[in-house]
Amino acid sequence: MSVSCTIKDTTLWGLPSYTRKYSFAGLAEIEIMIEAGVYLTTSIDVMGYTGRRTMQCSPYDECFFAGVSPSVNVSLRATCEAIVCQDTLWTDPDCYGVRVTPASLNVSITGDVRYNSETDCNGLSCSITVAPIEFVADITVNSVGASYRQIIFSGVTIQ
């Protein structure tokens, strides 16, 4: 059984969105939209399992097993985005965008608590893993982008 929850792009801090539309005598329209802020995306997953390990050759190696595996993923990013759309009598509507993310951090923590397993009657065990933490900065113009990535924490597993 698995349960998941994702909260995407929660604004922690942000400037008011700016939208302005300019019309040129009905021949052309230009719309400018600008948005900037600090956003948080969180994903929480919990998976549980249970069963019975049976061995026909050795009944002493039979046992019940169960486990829970939670995980939390957090992404914090500062972003500024600008979109310009134009529509004229002689062209099709078209939009151009620039997105700058000067700083983004991604953190993932997983855990595992289990009693026995499908392959062994080994009792209680637990582990916590913090995945590598990555700093990311990127810029995207329309759909073309460039990124800088740096691992700032190599990760750790505790058992």
Side-chain angles (χ1 to χ4, degrees):
M1 180 174 79
S2 181
V3 176
S4 298
C5 174
T6 299
I7 302 169
K8 189 171 169 97
D9 290 340
T10 302
T11 303
L12 298 180
W13 176 85
L15 296 173
S17 296
Y18 174 83
T19 302
R20 180 74 75 163
K21 199 179 255 190
Y22 300 96
S23 182
F24 300 97
L27 299 175
E29 265 189 5
I30 295 176
E31 184 174 8
I32 299 171
M33 296 165 278
I34 299 173
E35 191 171 284
V38 177
Y39 304 95
L40 177 72
T41 297
T42 305
S43 173
I44 300 170
D45 299 310
V46 178
M47 185 184 81
Y49 53 92
T50 186
R52 179 170 171 80
R53 178 177 189 264
T54 58
M55 299 290 291
Q56 291 183 0
C57 297
S58 176
Y60 298 105
D61 286 335
E62 291 186 4
C63 59
F64 287 99
F65 63 90
V68 175
S69 298
S71 69
V72 176
N73 299 302
V74 177
S75 175
L76 181 66
R77 66 180 167 83
T79 298
C80 180
E81 186 171 16
I83 299 172
V84 177
C85 296
Q86 56 87 24
D87 185 9
T88 65
L89 288 177
W90 53 91
T91 63
D92 291 333
D94 204 5
C95 293
Y96 306 95
V98 174
R99 182 181 189 133
V100 178
T101 302
S104 173
L105 288 175
N106 303 309
V107 180
S108 179
I109 300 171
T110 58
D112 186 41
V113 178
R114 65 184 153 188
Y115 184 75
N116 298 328
S117 69
E118 291 181 43
T119 58
D120 198 9
C121 296
N122 54 359
L124 183 65
S125 65
C126 11
S127 68
I128 296 175
T129 300
V130 178
I133 298 174
E134 185 176 41
F135 171 84
V136 179
D138 61 38
I139 183 169
T140 304
V141 178
N142 288 336
S143 59
V144 178
S147 291
Y148 169 78
R149 297 178 178 274
Q150 178 70 45
I151 301 291
I152 59 173
F153 177 72
S154 59
V156 65
T157 298
I158 301 168
Q159 293 187 342

PDB file of all heavy atoms in Angstrom, residues 46-81:
ATOM      1  N   VAL A  46       4.577   7.491   1.563  1.00  0.00           N
ATOM      2  CA  VAL A  46       4.693   6.454   2.580  1.00  0.00           C
ATOM      3  C   VAL A  46       4.232   5.143   1.957  1.00  0.00           C
ATOM      4  O   VAL A  46       3.139   5.071   1.394  1.00  0.00           O
ATOM      5  CB  VAL A  46       3.840   6.770   3.827  1.00  0.00           C
ATOM      6  CG1 VAL A  46       3.954   5.643   4.844  1.00  0.00           C
ATOM      7  CG2 VAL A  46       4.268   8.084   4.447  1.00  0.00           C
ATOM      8  N   MET A  47       5.102   4.132   2.027  1.00  0.00           N
ATOM      9  CA  MET A  47       4.759   2.820   1.485  1.00  0.00           C
ATOM     10  C   MET A  47       4.838   1.799   2.617  1.00  0.00           C
ATOM     11  O   MET A  47       5.793   1.813   3.403  1.00  0.00           O
ATOM     12  CB  MET A  47       5.722   2.420   0.372  1.00  0.00           C
ATOM     13  CG  MET A  47       5.328   1.124  -0.293  1.00  0.00           C
ATOM     14  SD  MET A  47       6.511   0.576  -1.529  1.00  0.00           S
ATOM     15  CE  MET A  47       7.733  -0.178  -0.508  1.00  0.00           C
ATOM     16  N   GLY A  48       3.850   0.950   2.720  1.00  0.00           N
ATOM     17  CA  GLY A  48       3.844  -0.098   3.727  1.00  0.00           C
ATOM     18  C   GLY A  48       3.658  -1.461   3.078  1.00  0.00           C
ATOM     19  O   GLY A  48       3.057  -1.574   2.015  1.00  0.00           O
ATOM     20  N   TYR A  49       4.214  -2.488   3.720  1.00  0.00           N
ATOM     21  CA  TYR A  49       4.079  -3.834   3.174  1.00  0.00           C
ATOM     22  C   TYR A  49       4.078  -4.830   4.325  1.00  0.00           C
ATOM     23  O   TYR A  49       4.585  -4.558   5.418  1.00  0.00           O
ATOM     24  CB  TYR A  49       5.205  -4.151   2.182  1.00  0.00           C
ATOM     25  CG  TYR A  49       6.596  -3.928   2.727  1.00  0.00           C
ATOM     26  CD1 TYR A  49       7.301  -4.951   3.344  1.00  0.00           C
ATOM     27  CD2 TYR A  49       7.202  -2.683   2.644  1.00  0.00           C
ATOM     28  CE1 TYR A  49       8.563  -4.744   3.857  1.00  0.00           C
ATOM     29  CE2 TYR A  49       8.469  -2.465   3.146  1.00  0.00           C
ATOM     30  CZ  TYR A  49       9.151  -3.505   3.754  1.00  0.00           C
ATOM     31  OH  TYR A  49      10.406  -3.285   4.268  1.00  0.00           O
ATOM     32  N   THR A  50       3.483  -5.969   4.070  1.00  0.00           N
ATOM     33  CA  THR A  50       3.437  -7.034   5.063  1.00  0.00           C
ATOM     34  C   THR A  50       3.274  -8.368   4.350  1.00  0.00           C
ATOM     35  O   THR A  50       2.869  -8.421   3.188  1.00  0.00           O
ATOM     36  CB  THR A  50       2.287  -6.806   6.075  1.00  0.00           C
ATOM     37  OG1 THR A  50       2.378  -7.795   7.096  1.00  0.00           O
ATOM     38  CG2 THR A  50       0.936  -6.876   5.406  1.00  0.00           C
ATOM     39  N   GLY A  51       3.599  -9.447   5.036  1.00  0.00           N
ATOM     40  CA  GLY A  51       3.462 -10.769   4.439  1.00  0.00           C
ATOM     41  C   GLY A  51       3.966 -11.856   5.368  1.00  0.00           C
ATOM     42  O   GLY A  51       4.289 -11.614   6.533  1.00  0.00           O
ATOM     43  N   ARG A  52       4.041 -13.066   4.834  1.00  0.00           N
ATOM     44  CA  ARG A  52       4.541 -14.210   5.596  1.00  0.00           C
ATOM     45  C   ARG A  52       5.568 -14.937   4.754  1.00  0.00           C
ATOM     46  O   ARG A  52       5.313 -15.287   3.608  1.00  0.00           O
ATOM     47  CB  ARG A  52       3.397 -15.138   5.968  1.00  0.00           C
ATOM     48  CG  ARG A  52       3.848 -16.356   6.730  1.00  0.00           C
ATOM     49  CD  ARG A  52       2.673 -17.139   7.303  1.00  0.00           C
ATOM     50  NE  ARG A  52       3.096 -18.405   7.853  1.00  0.00           N
ATOM     51  CZ  ARG A  52       3.647 -18.543   9.062  1.00  0.00           C
ATOM     52  NH1 ARG A  52       3.837 -17.490   9.803  1.00  0.00           N
ATOM     53  NH2 ARG A  52       4.002 -19.734   9.498  1.00  0.00           N
ATOM     54  N   ARG A  53       6.727 -15.147   5.338  1.00  0.00           N
ATOM     55  CA  ARG A  53       7.808 -15.890   4.674  1.00  0.00           C
ATOM     56  C   ARG A  53       7.648 -17.357   5.067  1.00  0.00           C
ATOM     57  O   ARG A  53       7.576 -17.698   6.240  1.00  0.00           O
ATOM     58  CB  ARG A  53       9.164 -15.365   5.156  1.00  0.00           C
ATOM     59  CG  ARG A  53      10.332 -16.089   4.571  1.00  0.00           C
ATOM     60  CD  ARG A  53      11.629 -15.435   5.057  1.00  0.00           C
ATOM     61  NE  ARG A  53      12.762 -15.967   4.362  1.00  0.00           N
ATOM     62  CZ  ARG A  53      13.518 -16.951   4.827  1.00  0.00           C
ATOM     63  NH1 ARG A  53      13.268 -17.484   5.994  1.00  0.00           N
ATOM     64  NH2 ARG A  53      14.530 -17.381   4.107  1.00  0.00           N
ATOM     65  N   THR A  54       7.553 -18.206   4.047  1.00  0.00           N
ATOM     66  CA  THR A  54       7.396 -19.635   4.316  1.00  0.00           C
ATOM     67  C   THR A  54       8.525 -20.412   3.659  1.00  0.00           C
ATOM     68  O   THR A  54       8.968 -20.076   2.551  1.00  0.00           O
ATOM     69  CB  THR A  54       6.052 -20.168   3.791  1.00  0.00           C
ATOM     70  OG1 THR A  54       5.986 -19.921   2.390  1.00  0.00           O
ATOM     71  CG2 THR A  54       4.878 -19.504   4.479  1.00  0.00           C
ATOM     72  N   MET A  55       8.998 -21.417   4.369  1.00  0.00           N
ATOM     73  CA  MET A  55      10.043 -22.309   3.849  1.00  0.00           C
ATOM     74  C   MET A  55       9.552 -23.743   4.066  1.00  0.00           C
ATOM     75  O   MET A  55       9.414 -24.189   5.202  1.00  0.00           O
ATOM     76  CB  MET A  55      11.361 -22.095   4.605  1.00  0.00           C
ATOM     77  CG  MET A  55      11.926 -20.698   4.488  1.00  0.00           C
ATOM     78  SD  MET A  55      12.552 -20.348   2.846  1.00  0.00           S
ATOM     79  CE  MET A  55      13.970 -21.396   2.785  1.00  0.00           C
ATOM     80  N   GLN A  56       9.307 -24.475   2.995  1.00  0.00           N
ATOM     81  CA  GLN A  56       8.787 -25.827   3.128  1.00  0.00           C
ATOM     82  C   GLN A  56       9.840 -26.780   3.690  1.00  0.00           C
ATOM     83  O   GLN A  56       9.518 -27.731   4.375  1.00  0.00           O
ATOM     84  CB  GLN A  56       8.288 -26.328   1.782  1.00  0.00           C
ATOM     85  CG  GLN A  56       7.049 -25.592   1.331  1.00  0.00           C
ATOM     86  CD  GLN A  56       6.511 -26.136   0.018  1.00  0.00           C
ATOM     87  OE1 GLN A  56       7.064 -27.070  -0.547  1.00  0.00           O
ATOM     88  NE2 GLN A  56       5.425 -25.548  -0.447  1.00  0.00           N
ATOM     89  N   CYS A  57      11.122 -26.517   3.401  1.00  0.00           N
ATOM     90  CA  CYS A  57      12.186 -27.404   3.872  1.00  0.00           C
ATOM     91  C   CYS A  57      12.547 -27.151   5.332  1.00  0.00           C
ATOM     92  O   CYS A  57      13.031 -28.038   6.015  1.00  0.00           O
ATOM     93  CB  CYS A  57      13.437 -27.234   3.019  1.00  0.00           C
ATOM     94  SG  CYS A  57      13.169 -27.691   1.300  1.00  0.00           S
ATOM     95  N   SER A  58      12.359 -25.938   5.819  1.00  0.00           N
ATOM     96  CA  SER A  58      12.754 -25.587   7.178  1.00  0.00           C
ATOM     97  C   SER A  58      11.674 -24.723   7.823  1.00  0.00           C
ATOM     98  O   SER A  58      11.691 -23.505   7.682  1.00  0.00           O
ATOM     99  CB  SER A  58      14.087 -24.834   7.148  1.00  0.00           C
ATOM    100  OG  SER A  58      14.425 -24.420   8.440  1.00  0.00           O
ATOM    101  N   PRO A  59      10.733 -25.319   8.535  1.00  0.00           N
ATOM    102  CA  PRO A  59       9.652 -24.541   9.128  1.00  0.00           C
ATOM    103  C   PRO A  59      10.148 -23.565  10.202  1.00  0.00           C
ATOM    104  O   PRO A  59       9.438 -22.657  10.593  1.00  0.00           O
ATOM    105  CB  PRO A  59       8.714 -25.588   9.723  1.00  0.00           C
ATOM    106  CG  PRO A  59       9.479 -26.853   9.776  1.00  0.00           C
ATOM    107  CD  PRO A  59      10.587 -26.756   8.787  1.00  0.00           C
ATOM    108  N   TYR A  60      11.380 -23.740  10.689  1.00  0.00           N
ATOM    109  CA  TYR A  60      11.917 -22.819  11.702  1.00  0.00           C
ATOM    110  C   TYR A  60      12.307 -21.473  11.089  1.00  0.00           C
ATOM    111  O   TYR A  60      12.520 -20.514  11.802  1.00  0.00           O
ATOM    112  CB  TYR A  60      13.125 -23.449  12.404  1.00  0.00           C
ATOM    113  CG  TYR A  60      12.758 -24.718  13.130  1.00  0.00           C
ATOM    114  CD1 TYR A  60      13.118 -25.952  12.624  1.00  0.00           C
ATOM    115  CD2 TYR A  60      12.014 -24.662  14.316  1.00  0.00           C
ATOM    116  CE1 TYR A  60      12.763 -27.134  13.288  1.00  0.00           C
ATOM    117  CE2 TYR A  60      11.650 -25.829  14.978  1.00  0.00           C
ATOM    118  CZ  TYR A  60      12.027 -27.048  14.454  1.00  0.00           C
ATOM    119  OH  TYR A  60      11.658 -28.192  15.098  1.00  0.00           O
ATOM    120  N   ASP A  61      12.420 -21.433   9.767  1.00  0.00           N
ATOM    121  CA  ASP A  61      12.757 -20.185   9.084  1.00  0.00           C
ATOM    122  C   ASP A  61      11.516 -19.450   8.580  1.00  0.00           C
ATOM    123  O   ASP A  61      11.612 -18.587   7.734  1.00  0.00           O
ATOM    124  CB  ASP A  61      13.699 -20.455   7.898  1.00  0.00           C
ATOM    125  CG  ASP A  61      15.099 -20.779   8.353  1.00  0.00           C
ATOM    126  OD1 ASP A  61      15.459 -20.351   9.469  1.00  0.00           O
ATOM    127  OD2 ASP A  61      15.834 -21.453   7.614  1.00  0.00           O
ATOM    128  N   GLU A  62      10.351 -19.819   9.091  1.00  0.00           N
ATOM    129  CA  GLU A  62       9.121 -19.131   8.701  1.00  0.00           C
ATOM    130  C   GLU A  62       8.873 -17.961   9.653  1.00  0.00           C
ATOM    131  O   GLU A  62       9.139 -18.058  10.853  1.00  0.00           O
ATOM    132  CB  GLU A  62       7.937 -20.089   8.741  1.00  0.00           C
ATOM    133  CG  GLU A  62       8.002 -21.147   7.662  1.00  0.00           C
ATOM    134  CD  GLU A  62       6.748 -21.997   7.618  1.00  0.00           C
ATOM    135  OE1 GLU A  62       5.790 -21.722   8.364  1.00  0.00           O
ATOM    136  OE2 GLU A  62       6.733 -22.936   6.825  1.00  0.00           O
ATOM    137  N   CYS A  63       8.379 -16.844   9.087  1.00  0.00           N
ATOM    138  CA  CYS A  63       8.095 -15.680   9.929  1.00  0.00           C
ATOM    139  C   CYS A  63       7.184 -14.716   9.192  1.00  0.00           C
ATOM    140  O   CYS A  63       7.059 -14.753   7.964  1.00  0.00           O
ATOM    141  CB  CYS A  63       9.380 -14.972  10.342  1.00  0.00           C
ATOM    142  SG  CYS A  63      10.379 -14.378   8.956  1.00  0.00           S
ATOM    143  N   PHE A  64       6.551 -13.848   9.958  1.00  0.00           N
ATOM    144  CA  PHE A  64       5.816 -12.737   9.384  1.00  0.00           C
ATOM    145  C   PHE A  64       6.785 -11.588   9.181  1.00  0.00           C
ATOM    146  O   PHE A  64       7.769 -11.450   9.923  1.00  0.00           O
ATOM    147  CB  PHE A  64       4.673 -12.299  10.310  1.00  0.00           C
ATOM    148  CG  PHE A  64       3.530 -13.260  10.333  1.00  0.00           C
ATOM    149  CD1 PHE A  64       3.404 -14.186  11.365  1.00  0.00           C
ATOM    150  CD2 PHE A  64       2.576 -13.242   9.326  1.00  0.00           C
ATOM    151  CE1 PHE A  64       2.358 -15.082  11.379  1.00  0.00           C
ATOM    152  CE2 PHE A  64       1.523 -14.135   9.333  1.00  0.00           C
ATOM    153  CZ  PHE A  64       1.411 -15.061  10.372  1.00  0.00           C
ATOM    154  N   PHE A  65       6.539 -10.761   8.187  1.00  0.00           N
ATOM    155  CA  PHE A  65       7.374  -9.575   7.976  1.00  0.00           C
ATOM    156  C   PHE A  65       6.468  -8.391   7.682  1.00  0.00           C
ATOM    157  O   PHE A  65       5.352  -8.543   7.202  1.00  0.00           O
ATOM    158  CB  PHE A  65       8.399  -9.781   6.856  1.00  0.00           C
ATOM    159  CG  PHE A  65       7.798 -10.015   5.501  1.00  0.00           C
ATOM    160  CD1 PHE A  65       7.515  -8.947   4.655  1.00  0.00           C
ATOM    161  CD2 PHE A  65       7.526 -11.300   5.051  1.00  0.00           C
ATOM    162  CE1 PHE A  65       6.960  -9.156   3.402  1.00  0.00           C
ATOM    163  CE2 PHE A  65       6.977 -11.525   3.803  1.00  0.00           C
ATOM    164  CZ  PHE A  65       6.688 -10.452   2.968  1.00  0.00           C
ATOM    165  N   ALA A  66       6.982  -7.207   8.008  1.00  0.00           N
ATOM    166  CA  ALA A  66       6.250  -5.967   7.756  1.00  0.00           C
ATOM    167  C   ALA A  66       7.242  -4.820   7.720  1.00  0.00           C
ATOM    168  O   ALA A  66       8.327  -4.900   8.293  1.00  0.00           O
ATOM    169  CB  ALA A  66       5.199  -5.731   8.833  1.00  0.00           C
ATOM    170  N   GLY A  67       6.845  -3.766   7.031  1.00  0.00           N
ATOM    171  CA  GLY A  67       7.730  -2.613   6.963  1.00  0.00           C
ATOM    172  C   GLY A  67       7.013  -1.365   6.504  1.00  0.00           C
ATOM    173  O   GLY A  67       5.936  -1.425   5.917  1.00  0.00           O
ATOM    174  N   VAL A  68       7.636  -0.231   6.818  1.00  0.00           N
ATOM    175  CA  VAL A  68       7.140   1.076   6.394  1.00  0.00           C
ATOM    176  C   VAL A  68       8.337   1.833   5.829  1.00  0.00           C
ATOM    177  O   VAL A  68       9.410   1.861   6.426  1.00  0.00           O
ATOM    178  CB  VAL A  68       6.533   1.858   7.581  1.00  0.00           C
ATOM    179  CG1 VAL A  68       6.131   3.250   7.153  1.00  0.00           C
ATOM    180  CG2 VAL A  68       5.358   1.119   8.167  1.00  0.00           C
ATOM    181  N   SER A  69       8.133   2.456   4.645  1.00  0.00           N
ATOM    182  CA  SER A  69       9.199   3.222   3.992  1.00  0.00           C
ATOM    183  C   SER A  69       8.684   4.622   3.656  1.00  0.00           C
ATOM    184  O   SER A  69       8.046   4.821   2.625  1.00  0.00           O
ATOM    185  CB  SER A  69       9.651   2.521   2.709  1.00  0.00           C
ATOM    186  OG  SER A  69      10.173   1.258   2.998  1.00  0.00           O
ATOM    187  N   PRO A  70       8.954   5.599   4.525  1.00  0.00           N
ATOM    188  CA  PRO A  70       8.556   6.978   4.215  1.00  0.00           C
ATOM    189  C   PRO A  70       9.652   7.709   3.442  1.00  0.00           C
ATOM    190  O   PRO A  70      10.829   7.364   3.542  1.00  0.00           O
ATOM    191  CB  PRO A  70       8.360   7.604   5.592  1.00  0.00           C
ATOM    192  CG  PRO A  70       9.318   6.859   6.465  1.00  0.00           C
ATOM    193  CD  PRO A  70       9.416   5.471   5.896  1.00  0.00           C
ATOM    194  N   SER A  71       9.264   8.716   2.683  1.00  0.00           N
ATOM    195  CA  SER A  71      10.244   9.576   2.004  1.00  0.00           C
ATOM    196  C   SER A  71       9.675  10.995   1.918  1.00  0.00           C
ATOM    197  O   SER A  71       8.467  11.184   1.779  1.00  0.00           O
ATOM    198  CB  SER A  71      10.594   9.059   0.613  1.00  0.00           C
ATOM    199  OG  SER A  71       9.518   9.175  -0.265  1.00  0.00           O
ATOM    200  N   VAL A  72      10.580  11.964   2.018  1.00  0.00           N
ATOM    201  CA  VAL A  72      10.228  13.372   1.933  1.00  0.00           C
ATOM    202  C   VAL A  72      11.181  14.032   0.955  1.00  0.00           C
ATOM    203  O   VAL A  72      12.399  13.876   1.073  1.00  0.00           O
ATOM    204  CB  VAL A  72      10.328  14.066   3.313  1.00  0.00           C
ATOM    205  CG1 VAL A  72      10.042  15.548   3.188  1.00  0.00           C
ATOM    206  CG2 VAL A  72       9.401  13.428   4.311  1.00  0.00           C
ATOM    207  N   ASN A  73      10.645  14.744  -0.014  1.00  0.00           N
ATOM    208  CA  ASN A  73      11.446  15.495  -0.975  1.00  0.00           C
ATOM    209  C   ASN A  73      11.037  16.966  -0.873  1.00  0.00           C
ATOM    210  O   ASN A  73       9.851  17.278  -0.929  1.00  0.00           O
ATOM    211  CB  ASN A  73      11.216  15.001  -2.409  1.00  0.00           C
ATOM    212  CG  ASN A  73      11.606  13.559  -2.571  1.00  0.00           C
ATOM    213  OD1 ASN A  73      12.733  13.197  -2.325  1.00  0.00           O
ATOM    214  ND2 ASN A  73      10.652  12.721  -2.948  1.00  0.00           N
ATOM    215  N   VAL A  74      12.037  17.835  -0.720  1.00  0.00           N
ATOM    216  CA  VAL A  74      11.782  19.263  -0.571  1.00  0.00           C
ATOM    217  C   VAL A  74      12.644  20.010  -1.585  1.00  0.00           C
ATOM    218  O   VAL A  74      13.833  19.728  -1.721  1.00  0.00           O
ATOM    219  CB  VAL A  74      12.122  19.742   0.859  1.00  0.00           C
ATOM    220  CG1 VAL A  74      11.921  21.239   0.981  1.00  0.00           C
ATOM    221  CG2 VAL A  74      11.283  19.003   1.883  1.00  0.00           C
ATOM    222  N   SER A  75      12.024  20.939  -2.284  1.00  0.00           N
ATOM    223  CA  SER A  75      12.736  21.797  -3.240  1.00  0.00           C
ATOM    224  C   SER A  75      12.404  23.244  -2.910  1.00  0.00           C
ATOM    225  O   SER A  75      11.240  23.619  -2.848  1.00  0.00           O
ATOM    226  CB  SER A  75      12.312  21.462  -4.669  1.00  0.00           C
ATOM    227  OG  SER A  75      12.912  22.349  -5.572  1.00  0.00           O
ATOM    228  N   LEU A  76      13.433  24.036  -2.680  1.00  0.00           N
ATOM    229  CA  LEU A  76      13.287  25.449  -2.381  1.00  0.00           C
ATOM    230  C   LEU A  76      13.990  26.221  -3.488  1.00  0.00           C
ATOM    231  O   LEU A  76      15.158  25.951  -3.784  1.00  0.00           O
ATOM    232  CB  LEU A  76      13.920  25.761  -1.020  1.00  0.00           C
ATOM    233  CG  LEU A  76      13.842  27.193  -0.523  1.00  0.00           C
ATOM    234  CD1 LEU A  76      12.396  27.570  -0.245  1.00  0.00           C
ATOM    235  CD2 LEU A  76      14.683  27.351   0.730  1.00  0.00           C
ATOM    236  N   ARG A  77      13.271  27.167  -4.124  1.00  0.00           N
ATOM    237  CA  ARG A  77      13.887  27.885  -5.237  1.00  0.00           C
ATOM    238  C   ARG A  77      13.438  29.339  -5.268  1.00  0.00           C
ATOM    239  O   ARG A  77      12.305  29.657  -4.909  1.00  0.00           O
ATOM    240  CB  ARG A  77      13.579  27.223  -6.572  1.00  0.00           C
ATOM    241  CG  ARG A  77      12.141  27.264  -6.966  1.00  0.00           C
ATOM    242  CD  ARG A  77      11.888  26.595  -8.316  1.00  0.00           C
ATOM    243  NE  ARG A  77      10.482  26.393  -8.529  1.00  0.00           N
ATOM    244  CZ  ARG A  77       9.657  27.305  -8.981  1.00  0.00           C
ATOM    245  NH1 ARG A  77      10.089  28.498  -9.288  1.00  0.00           N
ATOM    246  NH2 ARG A  77       8.376  27.042  -9.147  1.00  0.00           N
ATOM    247  N   ALA A  78      14.369  30.193  -5.667  1.00  0.00           N
ATOM    248  CA  ALA A  78      14.074  31.599  -5.934  1.00  0.00           C
ATOM    249  C   ALA A  78      14.000  31.746  -7.446  1.00  0.00           C
ATOM    250  O   ALA A  78      14.912  31.315  -8.157  1.00  0.00           O
ATOM    251  CB  ALA A  78      15.168  32.489  -5.363  1.00  0.00           C
ATOM    252  N   THR A  79      12.921  32.325  -7.958  1.00  0.00           N
ATOM    253  CA  THR A  79      12.709  32.393  -9.400  1.00  0.00           C
ATOM    254  C   THR A  79      12.114  33.734  -9.804  1.00  0.00           C
ATOM    255  O   THR A  79      11.283  34.294  -9.098  1.00  0.00           O
ATOM    256  CB  THR A  79      11.754  31.265  -9.858  1.00  0.00           C
ATOM    257  OG1 THR A  79      12.354  30.014  -9.557  1.00  0.00           O
ATOM    258  CG2 THR A  79      11.475  31.322 -11.339  1.00  0.00           C
ATOM    259  N   CYS A  80      12.543  34.196 -10.965  1.00  0.00           N
ATOM    260  CA  CYS A  80      11.938  35.363 -11.596  1.00  0.00           C
ATOM    261  C   CYS A  80      11.592  34.954 -13.029  1.00  0.00           C
ATOM    262  O   CYS A  80      12.420  34.380 -13.736  1.00  0.00           O
ATOM    263  CB  CYS A  80      12.910  36.539 -11.603  1.00  0.00           C
ATOM    264  SG  CYS A  80      12.208  38.015 -12.362  1.00  0.00           S
ATOM    265  N   GLU A  81      10.361  35.228 -13.431  1.00  0.00           N
ATOM    266  CA  GLU A  81       9.903  34.821 -14.761  1.00  0.00           C
ATOM    267  C   GLU A  81       9.215  35.992 -15.445  1.00  0.00           C
ATOM    268  O   GLU A  81       8.437  36.714 -14.829  1.00  0.00           O
ATOM    269  CB  GLU A  81       8.937  33.648 -14.635  1.00  0.00           C
ATOM    270  CG  GLU A  81       8.520  33.068 -15.956  1.00  0.00           C
ATOM    271  CD  GLU A  81       7.738  31.773 -15.792  1.00  0.00           C
ATOM    272  OE1 GLU A  81       7.266  31.472 -14.684  1.00  0.00           O
ATOM    273  OE2 GLU A  81       7.608  31.067 -16.792  1.00  0.00           O
TER     274      GLU A  81
END
